[in-house]
Short mmCIF file of all heavy atoms in Angstrom, two decimals:
data_model
loop_
_atom_site.label_atom_id
_atom_site.label_comp_id
_atom_site.label_asym_id
_atom_site.label_seq_id
_atom_site.Cartn_x
_atom_site.Cartn_y
_atom_site.Cartn_z
N VAL A 1 -13.55 -9.56 2.95
CA VAL A 1 -12.64 -9.09 2.05
C VAL A 1 -11.34 -9.96 2.21
O VAL A 1 -10.72 -10.45 1.22
CB VAL A 1 -12.32 -7.63 2.11
CG1 VAL A 1 -11.10 -7.19 1.32
CG2 VAL A 1 -13.61 -6.86 1.76
N ARG A 2 -10.90 -10.09 3.50
CA ARG A 2 -9.76 -10.87 3.82
C ARG A 2 -9.88 -12.35 3.27
O ARG A 2 -8.87 -12.85 2.51
CB ARG A 2 -9.45 -10.94 5.23
CG ARG A 2 -8.23 -11.76 5.66
CD ARG A 2 -8.25 -12.13 7.08
NE ARG A 2 -9.46 -12.89 7.50
CZ ARG A 2 -9.81 -13.12 8.80
NH1 ARG A 2 -9.09 -12.61 9.79
NH2 ARG A 2 -11.00 -13.88 8.96
N ASP A 3 -10.99 -12.93 3.40
CA ASP A 3 -11.18 -14.37 2.93
C ASP A 3 -11.06 -14.41 1.44
O ASP A 3 -10.53 -15.28 0.89
CB ASP A 3 -12.67 -14.88 3.40
CG ASP A 3 -12.59 -14.99 5.03
OD1 ASP A 3 -11.58 -15.00 5.64
OD2 ASP A 3 -13.71 -15.01 5.57
N ALA A 4 -11.74 -13.38 0.72
CA ALA A 4 -11.73 -13.30 -0.69
C ALA A 4 -10.22 -13.19 -1.16
O ALA A 4 -9.80 -13.77 -2.16
CB ALA A 4 -12.57 -12.14 -1.23
N PHE A 5 -9.52 -12.30 -0.51
CA PHE A 5 -8.07 -12.13 -0.97
C PHE A 5 -7.28 -13.41 -0.76
O PHE A 5 -6.48 -13.85 -1.50
CB PHE A 5 -7.53 -10.90 -0.05
CG PHE A 5 -7.90 -9.60 -0.67
CD1 PHE A 5 -8.89 -9.39 -1.56
CD2 PHE A 5 -7.18 -8.51 -0.24
CE1 PHE A 5 -9.20 -8.11 -2.07
CE2 PHE A 5 -7.38 -7.20 -0.73
CZ PHE A 5 -8.48 -7.06 -1.67
N GLU A 6 -7.51 -13.99 0.33
CA GLU A 6 -6.73 -15.21 0.62
C GLU A 6 -6.98 -16.32 -0.30
O GLU A 6 -6.18 -17.10 -0.80
CB GLU A 6 -6.89 -15.76 2.14
CG GLU A 6 -6.43 -14.87 3.24
CD GLU A 6 -6.76 -15.33 4.64
OE1 GLU A 6 -7.61 -16.32 4.79
OE2 GLU A 6 -6.16 -14.83 5.56
N LYS A 7 -8.30 -16.38 -0.68
CA LYS A 7 -8.78 -17.54 -1.63
C LYS A 7 -8.08 -17.15 -3.01
O LYS A 7 -7.80 -18.14 -3.70
CB LYS A 7 -10.29 -17.48 -1.77
CG LYS A 7 -10.78 -18.63 -2.57
CD LYS A 7 -12.28 -18.62 -2.41
CE LYS A 7 -12.89 -19.79 -3.33
NZ LYS A 7 -14.49 -19.82 -3.31
N ALA A 8 -7.92 -15.98 -3.49
CA ALA A 8 -7.45 -15.54 -4.69
C ALA A 8 -5.85 -15.45 -4.57
O ALA A 8 -5.30 -15.23 -5.61
CB ALA A 8 -7.93 -14.23 -5.11
N GLY A 9 -5.20 -15.50 -3.41
CA GLY A 9 -3.78 -15.41 -3.33
C GLY A 9 -3.47 -14.06 -3.45
O GLY A 9 -2.27 -13.83 -3.98
N VAL A 10 -4.15 -13.04 -3.12
CA VAL A 10 -3.80 -11.65 -3.32
C VAL A 10 -2.70 -11.30 -2.41
O VAL A 10 -2.71 -11.54 -1.22
CB VAL A 10 -5.01 -10.71 -3.20
CG1 VAL A 10 -4.60 -9.24 -3.29
CG2 VAL A 10 -6.20 -11.01 -4.05
N ILE A 11 -1.73 -10.57 -2.97
CA ILE A 11 -0.69 -9.90 -2.10
C ILE A 11 -0.96 -8.55 -1.80
O ILE A 11 -1.35 -7.75 -2.75
CB ILE A 11 0.69 -9.99 -2.71
CG1 ILE A 11 1.16 -11.42 -3.14
CG2 ILE A 11 1.82 -9.23 -2.01
CD1 ILE A 11 2.42 -11.54 -3.91
N THR A 12 -0.96 -8.19 -0.56
CA THR A 12 -1.40 -6.84 -0.18
C THR A 12 -0.20 -6.06 0.32
O THR A 12 0.75 -6.57 1.01
CB THR A 12 -2.38 -6.87 1.09
OG1 THR A 12 -1.88 -7.62 2.11
CG2 THR A 12 -3.71 -7.40 0.57
N ILE A 13 -0.18 -4.82 -0.13
CA ILE A 13 0.94 -3.93 0.31
C ILE A 13 0.30 -2.47 0.59
O ILE A 13 -0.58 -2.04 0.00
CB ILE A 13 1.89 -3.60 -1.00
CG1 ILE A 13 2.53 -4.99 -1.39
CG2 ILE A 13 3.00 -2.59 -0.70
CD1 ILE A 13 3.23 -4.87 -2.63
N VAL A 14 0.81 -1.86 1.68
CA VAL A 14 0.29 -0.56 2.15
C VAL A 14 1.45 0.49 2.21
O VAL A 14 2.53 0.11 2.59
CB VAL A 14 -0.32 -0.73 3.53
CG1 VAL A 14 0.66 -1.20 4.64
CG2 VAL A 14 -0.99 0.59 3.93
N GLY A 15 1.15 1.67 1.71
CA GLY A 15 2.01 2.86 1.76
C GLY A 15 1.44 3.80 2.79
O GLY A 15 0.46 4.35 2.55
N ASP A 16 2.25 3.91 3.81
CA ASP A 16 1.77 4.97 4.84
C ASP A 16 2.43 6.27 4.58
O ASP A 16 3.57 6.44 4.76
CB ASP A 16 2.21 4.36 6.18
CG ASP A 16 1.60 5.21 7.40
OD1 ASP A 16 1.09 6.29 7.13
OD2 ASP A 16 1.62 4.77 8.48
N TRP A 17 1.59 7.26 4.34
CA TRP A 17 2.13 8.66 3.92
C TRP A 17 1.85 9.60 5.06
O TRP A 17 1.83 10.84 4.74
CB TRP A 17 1.46 8.99 2.61
CG TRP A 17 2.19 10.03 1.68
CD1 TRP A 17 3.55 9.96 1.41
CD2 TRP A 17 1.58 11.11 1.03
NE1 TRP A 17 3.84 11.07 0.58
CE2 TRP A 17 2.68 11.68 0.34
CE3 TRP A 17 0.33 11.58 1.02
CZ2 TRP A 17 2.47 12.79 -0.42
CZ3 TRP A 17 0.17 12.73 0.20
CH2 TRP A 17 1.25 13.33 -0.55
N THR A 18 1.71 9.08 6.31
CA THR A 18 1.41 9.94 7.33
C THR A 18 2.60 10.91 7.54
O THR A 18 2.39 12.18 7.67
CB THR A 18 1.36 9.18 8.69
OG1 THR A 18 0.22 8.27 8.51
CG2 THR A 18 1.15 10.17 9.87
N LYS A 19 3.78 10.49 7.39
CA LYS A 19 5.07 11.27 7.36
C LYS A 19 5.51 11.39 6.05
O LYS A 19 5.15 10.49 5.07
CB LYS A 19 6.11 10.65 8.25
CG LYS A 19 5.77 10.71 9.80
CD LYS A 19 6.98 10.30 10.61
CE LYS A 19 6.61 10.33 12.00
NZ LYS A 19 7.89 9.93 12.88
N ARG A 20 6.37 12.36 5.78
CA ARG A 20 6.83 12.53 4.46
C ARG A 20 7.69 11.30 3.94
O ARG A 20 8.49 10.93 4.68
CB ARG A 20 7.63 13.90 4.22
CG ARG A 20 6.79 14.95 4.34
CD ARG A 20 7.65 16.36 4.18
NE ARG A 20 8.46 16.35 3.08
CZ ARG A 20 9.24 17.39 2.69
NH1 ARG A 20 9.36 18.34 3.62
NH2 ARG A 20 9.92 17.33 1.67
N ASP A 21 7.44 10.82 2.86
CA ASP A 21 8.14 9.64 2.33
C ASP A 21 8.37 9.91 0.74
O ASP A 21 7.47 9.84 0.11
CB ASP A 21 7.29 8.32 2.46
CG ASP A 21 8.08 7.07 2.11
OD1 ASP A 21 8.52 7.08 0.97
OD2 ASP A 21 8.30 6.15 2.95
N GLU A 22 9.62 10.09 0.38
CA GLU A 22 9.88 10.53 -0.95
C GLU A 22 9.58 9.40 -1.91
O GLU A 22 9.20 9.72 -3.07
CB GLU A 22 11.38 10.97 -1.01
CG GLU A 22 11.78 12.18 -0.25
CD GLU A 22 13.17 12.61 -0.47
OE1 GLU A 22 13.89 11.88 -1.07
OE2 GLU A 22 13.49 13.70 0.03
N ALA A 23 9.81 8.20 -1.51
CA ALA A 23 9.50 7.09 -2.43
C ALA A 23 7.96 7.03 -2.77
O ALA A 23 7.58 6.90 -4.03
CB ALA A 23 10.03 5.72 -1.82
N ILE A 24 7.18 7.11 -1.68
CA ILE A 24 5.78 7.12 -1.94
C ILE A 24 5.31 8.34 -2.75
O ILE A 24 4.49 8.31 -3.65
CB ILE A 24 5.06 7.15 -0.55
CG1 ILE A 24 5.29 5.80 0.12
CG2 ILE A 24 3.50 7.37 -0.73
CD1 ILE A 24 4.67 5.62 1.42
N THR A 25 5.84 9.53 -2.44
CA THR A 25 5.49 10.75 -3.16
C THR A 25 5.76 10.67 -4.64
O THR A 25 4.95 11.03 -5.48
CB THR A 25 6.09 11.98 -2.60
OG1 THR A 25 5.92 12.02 -1.13
CG2 THR A 25 5.67 13.30 -3.30
N GLN A 26 6.94 10.14 -4.89
CA GLN A 26 7.39 9.95 -6.24
C GLN A 26 6.49 8.93 -7.08
O GLN A 26 5.99 9.14 -8.28
CB GLN A 26 8.82 9.49 -6.40
CG GLN A 26 9.38 9.58 -7.83
CD GLN A 26 10.88 9.27 -7.80
OE1 GLN A 26 11.40 8.57 -6.92
NE2 GLN A 26 11.52 9.58 -8.80
N PHE A 27 6.07 7.80 -6.27
CA PHE A 27 5.23 6.84 -6.96
C PHE A 27 3.74 7.50 -7.20
O PHE A 27 3.23 7.16 -8.19
CB PHE A 27 5.07 5.71 -6.02
CG PHE A 27 4.29 4.64 -6.70
CD1 PHE A 27 4.94 3.62 -7.62
CD2 PHE A 27 3.03 4.37 -6.28
CE1 PHE A 27 4.18 2.57 -8.12
CE2 PHE A 27 2.28 3.29 -6.91
CZ PHE A 27 2.91 2.31 -7.78
N LEU A 28 3.25 8.25 -6.18
CA LEU A 28 1.91 8.88 -6.43
C LEU A 28 1.97 9.86 -7.65
O LEU A 28 1.09 9.80 -8.37
CB LEU A 28 1.57 9.70 -5.16
CG LEU A 28 1.29 8.84 -3.86
CD1 LEU A 28 1.08 9.89 -2.68
CD2 LEU A 28 0.13 7.96 -4.09
N THR A 29 3.02 10.60 -7.76
CA THR A 29 3.16 11.36 -8.99
C THR A 29 3.29 10.66 -10.16
O THR A 29 2.55 10.93 -11.27
CB THR A 29 4.42 12.20 -8.89
OG1 THR A 29 4.36 12.96 -7.59
CG2 THR A 29 4.58 13.17 -10.05
#
């Protein structure tokens, strides 16, 4: 998957919701 992403130039972003995060909660909504 990493190789396929690199070949396609995919930008990856992760949202860690382990702790309360208002920006993530609002985006999920």
